[in-house]
Amino acid sequence: MLEASHVRFGYGAEPLFLDTDLTLAPGRIYGLLGLNGAGKSTLLKLMTGLLFPQSGRIAAWGHDPARRAPGFLSRVFMLPEELNVPGVTGKEFIAVRSPFYPGFDRARMQRHLEEFDIPEGKKLTALSHGQQKKFLLSFGLACDASLVLLDEPSNGLDIPSKGLFRRLVAEALTEERTIVVSTHQVRDVESLVDRVVILHEGKVLLDRSVADLSANLRFQVGGDRPDAADDLIYAERTVGGYASVWRQRGADDGRMDLELLFKAVIGDPAACAALPGTESRR
């Protein structure tokens, strides 16, 4: 489990996080959502010790990520948004990097490369951006890491690869593993994540399970503009009418529009903070 408590961080005089709290539990796939510039990538770097909190505390399995201890690093894999692959072949990359992960599964790695149709023998720098991303994603999922952080993983992937990405990530989840998918392309992860964390202006505005949200929200598309009502959270014009989000305890119709939810939370944080729920915050 990773816990961030009262974390403060900023670039220069501009604060980005002010007393930010977040707990990541094993056995879950988190969707970390936010606008561009909301601090998603920065938060992932703080979790891995690539950046240091100015105050507050981050801890994972008794480790302070900022110390970058081998026992911590061997349990963490991060796929960054901006790739900087070395000029080596995939085979050479695996030979050098895999020993840092005691549970690395070579058979799984090979299977993922075949499914993504990554050409063998080429230097990584000779691959396209999408192929580089698929190679590193394959490596990350084969590492047997306890914490897998994926920053904008669907960028550069074509439609079939996005579907394969979702399947492989879902298959990689175990009771001991935590997976975080950070993205602003919410449609790409709508069917993948089981917990939603929305980051905005340095704060965690929402941290709820998909099951809890589905049980307490109703998403409606079509029809006339909805009248203002206490249980109406958000509405916008769309093709064929209006899309809206409503409070409705016990809705649980299985429908979840993550993009609409994101807009609702960003548009009215107070209303979404007061959502009814059946679960504790964690």
Side-chain angles (χ1 to χ4, degrees):
M1 178 181 290
L2 183 144
E3 292 183 300
S5 178
H6 303 297
V7 170
R8 292 192 172 211
F9 181 84
Y11 295 100
E14 293 295 323
L16 184 57
F17 298 118
L18 295 172
D19 292 319
T20 299
D21 298 326
L22 182 64
T23 297
L24 302 178
R28 290 174 175 167
I29 301 177
Y30 290 81
L32 179 60
L33 312 181
L35 300 172
N36 285 334
K40 302 185 301 297
S41 296
T42 297
L43 183 58
L44 298 186
K45 290 177 181 178
L46 288 166
M47 291 177 183
T48 55
L50 294 173
L51 293 173
F52 313 136
Q54 292 165 345
S55 64
R57 176 176 177 270
I58 300 178
W61 321 292
H63 292 280
D64 176 359
R67 294 183 177 275
R68 304 280 289 175
F72 169 77
L73 294 177
S74 67
R75 300 182 66 177
V76 177
F77 174 83
M78 178 175 170
L79 175 67
E81 179 180 8
E82 300 295 330
L83 305 182
N84 184 21
V85 297
V88 299
T89 66
K91 185 177 181 179
E92 292 168 336
F93 182 95
I94 295 168
V96 171
R97 302 291 180 92
S98 63
F100 292 102
Y101 295 93
F104 187 81
D105 188 334
R106 290 181 177 272
R108 177 187 286 267
M109 177 77 191
Q110 185 61 36
R111 185 167 65 252
H112 291 345
L113 292 179
E114 291 172 358
E115 290 180 293
F116 276 128
D117 194 25
I118 304 298
E120 297 184 14
K122 278 190 175 183
K123 288 189 175 182
L124 298 181
T125 48
L127 301 179
S128 69
H129 176 77
Q131 289 174 324
Q132 291 175 358
K133 181 156 287 189
K134 288 185 281 190
F135 176 87
L136 292 177
L137 177 63
S138 298
F139 183 85
L141 296 180
C143 282
D144 196 35
S146 300
L147 179 62
V148 178
L149 305 174
L150 308 175
D151 195 2
E152 300 291 354
S154 61
N155 282 359
L157 300 186
D158 55 28
I159 292 175
S161 294
K162 288 181 179 182
L164 181 55
F165 152 74
R166 287 189 289 267
R167 177 173 68 80
L168 295 182
V169 170
E171 290 176 354
L173 184 66
T174 67
E175 293 182 359
E176 296 78 29
R177 180 171 297 136
T178 303
I179 300 175
V180 180
V181 183
S182 172
T183 185
H184 66 280
Q185 300 186 36
V186 295
R187 296 291 188 194
D188 287 347
V189 301
E190 191 167 63
S191 61
L192 176 64
V193 303
D194 56 24
R195 193 168 186 94
V196 179
V197 175
I198 295 181
L199 192 64
H200 188 61
E201 296 181 345
K203 297 179 180 178
V204 175
L205 297 186
L206 187 75
D207 180 6
R208 301 281 285 272
S209 71
V210 169
D212 192 59
L213 291 167
S214 297
N216 291 283
L217 293 175
R218 175 167 56 90
F219 297 85
Q220 182 174 308
V221 178
D224 299 330
R225 179 182 179 87
D227 296 328
D230 290 341
D231 53 353
L232 175 64
I233 298 175
Y234 177 81
E236 66 173 29
R237 187 65 186 262
T238 187
V239 177
Y242 285 83
S244 52
V245 183
W246 303 76
R247 295 185 191 88
Q248 183 176 328
R249 186 183 290 275
D252 204 16
D253 60 2
R255 294 184 63 249
M256 168 66 71
D257 189 320
L258 204 51
E259 183 174 309
L260 203 58
L261 172 68
F262 177 77
K263 292 178 181 179
V265 172
I266 298 297
D268 192 349
C272 291
L275 289 177
T278 57
E279 65 173 15
S280 62
R281 177 172 170 78
R282 302 297 174 208

